[in-house]
Amino acid sequence: MRYRTFGRLGWQVSELSFGAWAIGGDAWGATDDSESLRTLEEALDSGINFIDTAQAYGDGHSEELIGRTLAARGSGAQRVYVATKIPPADKKLWWVDPDYDDIQRFYPSAYLRERVELSLKRLKVGTLDLIQLHTWTSGFNKYTEWQETLEDLRRQGKLLAYGISASEQRPADVTPLVEAGRIDSVQVIYNLFEQGTGRSVLAPCGRNGVATIIRVPLDEGSLTGKFTAQTIFAKGDFRRHYFRGGNLKVTLEHVELVRRFKAERHPELSLVDLALLFTLSHPDAGTVIVGLKNREQLRQNLKVTGMELFKPAALAELAQFEWNRDPWSQDLKA
């Protein structure tokens, strides 16, 4: 396992991190807690030392499984960093206009304090490593109370660092905070299709010592190559919406272009290897989240660890696959 310096915080974190959304059991189809726990244990034994979770994942179930695992491993085990997230206070407001600015309906001070205590309890720790606000709009950038509250909690020893999970629609809304030095980390989507955030978010983070956590490196599974036109997502799996209507068909057409390129230029790699290596090769990539439901997925993703990263010339070739779209709100066109 390779390790990278996590922004100005200086933490040495594994280049791959354990994405704990799926083990929450509420958005990726059926899960089995015993398999989730075994997968988490194997991930930690493999050298992964960074876990990304959220209070919203299984309404806290993901945090509880992580807390149980880390408590059982004891204080003498490898240092593991856990990043969790606070959802909006009014959960009906997850998807709002990107300029929406009523931050008191999202992150009032008393609510932030209450939610930090909740994660401390679920994770069974006295101090949170990293707390993230789970969504953001440009309209929030002018406010400071949320930051003052988190700074106070840091002084109290309740947390070590705080950051923001950038929105899918306008991830660069967080960049002004990055450039002003107001946050310790940013979580953002970056993959073969969504390459623009490498320029608009990751590069500014690198210039300003802000740690980066990259999510969705496999485009919610499409870049594994396992989906077909006949794939049906189970009830309760959020990908029923992401790949709704013709979105799956159009996405598969783009995946096929990547597959052909891989076969010609990088036949030694699997499609998963290619996609993960692309993301890991960005010079400002910190840790890259791989979502894990079982040990088979873990072992497949771990194959890239230690592989040579892509050099600038190879990355320039891969730039052809950039695809500007928003599957959450758009019906995609070929």
Side-chain angles (χ1 to χ4, degrees), residues 5 7 27 60 75 143 179 195 201 249 251 277 283 298 319 326 332:
T5 301
S75 58
Y143 297 105
E179 293 173 335
Q195 298 187 29
V201 182
K249 177 179 181 295
T251 300
L277 284 174
L298 170 66
D326 175 18
L332 304 181

Side-chain angles (χ1 to χ4, degrees), residues 158-169:
K158 302 284 187 179
L159 56 91
L160 297 179
Y162 57 87
I164 291 172
S165 181
S167 74
E168 290 83 356
Q169 285 76 19

Side-chain angles (χ1 to χ4, degrees), residues 3-225:
Y3 296 85
R4 301 179 176 197
T5 301
F6 197 62
R8 59 174 170 261
L9 295 169
W11 304 344
Q12 294 303 299
V13 303
S14 51
E15 64 180 2
L16 295 182
S17 49
F18 189 101
W21 185 8
I23 69 173
D26 66 338
W28 289 79
T31 58
D32 175 78
D33 281 356
S34 60
E35 177 63 16
S36 296
L37 291 168
R38 285 192 293 266
T39 304
L40 180 54
E41 285 280 4
E42 186 169 320
L44 298 176
D45 290 342
S46 75
I48 287 177
N49 73 345
F50 194 95
I51 303 171
D52 178 80
T53 186
Q55 295 177 359
Y57 296 168
D59 195 23
H61 188 57
S62 175
E63 285 186 322
E64 289 166 351
L65 291 177
I66 293 163
R68 187 192 314 175
T69 298
L70 296 183
R73 289 174 76 88
S75 58
Q78 167 198 32
R79 174 69 162 99
V80 176
Y81 298 93
V82 180
T84 192
K85 309 181 197 74
I86 297 175
D90 186 341
K91 295 181 180 59
K92 293 179 292 186
L93 295 177
W94 275 101
W95 306 103
V96 296
D97 183 282
D99 297 316
Y100 183 90
D101 69 351
D102 188 357
I103 197 169
Q104 287 302 312
R105 292 189 64 188
F106 272 70
Y107 304 122
S109 179
Y111 172 75
L112 293 178
R113 294 179 187 277
E114 169 192 317
R115 284 284 163 161
V116 164
E117 294 295 338
L118 185 60
S119 282
L120 288 169
K121 180 180 178 180
R122 288 173 175 164
L123 292 169
K124 302 181 186 299
V125 294
T127 304
L128 299 177
D129 295 316
L130 175 63
I131 195 80
Q132 303 160 90
L133 303 184
H134 206 152
T135 188
W136 195 255
T137 78
S138 63
F140 295 164
N141 286 339
K142 60 191 175 187
Y143 297 105
T144 61
E145 184 183 18
W146 64 273
Q147 184 179 3
E148 292 160 4
T149 300
L150 295 177
E151 283 290 351
D152 185 49
L153 289 166
R154 174 151 51 187
R155 286 191 293 270
Q156 293 177 37
K158 302 284 187 179
L159 56 91
L160 297 179
Y162 57 87
I164 291 172
S165 181
S167 74
E168 290 83 356
Q169 285 76 19
R170 286 205 336 206
D173 283 353
V174 303
T175 301
L177 300 181
V178 168
E179 293 173 335
R182 294 178 59 190
I183 49 179
D184 299 307
S185 72
V186 167
Q187 182 176 136
V188 68
I189 295 173
Y190 176 69
N191 58 47
L192 272 169
F193 295 149
E194 301 191 47
Q195 298 187 29
T197 51
R199 301 181 293 271
S200 64
V201 182
L202 296 182
C205 285
R207 291 193 297 269
N208 290 279
V210 173
T212 60
I213 306 167
I214 295 174
R215 69 181 189 268
V216 200
L218 300 174
D219 186 44
E220 309 298 9
S222 79
L223 286 167
T224 65

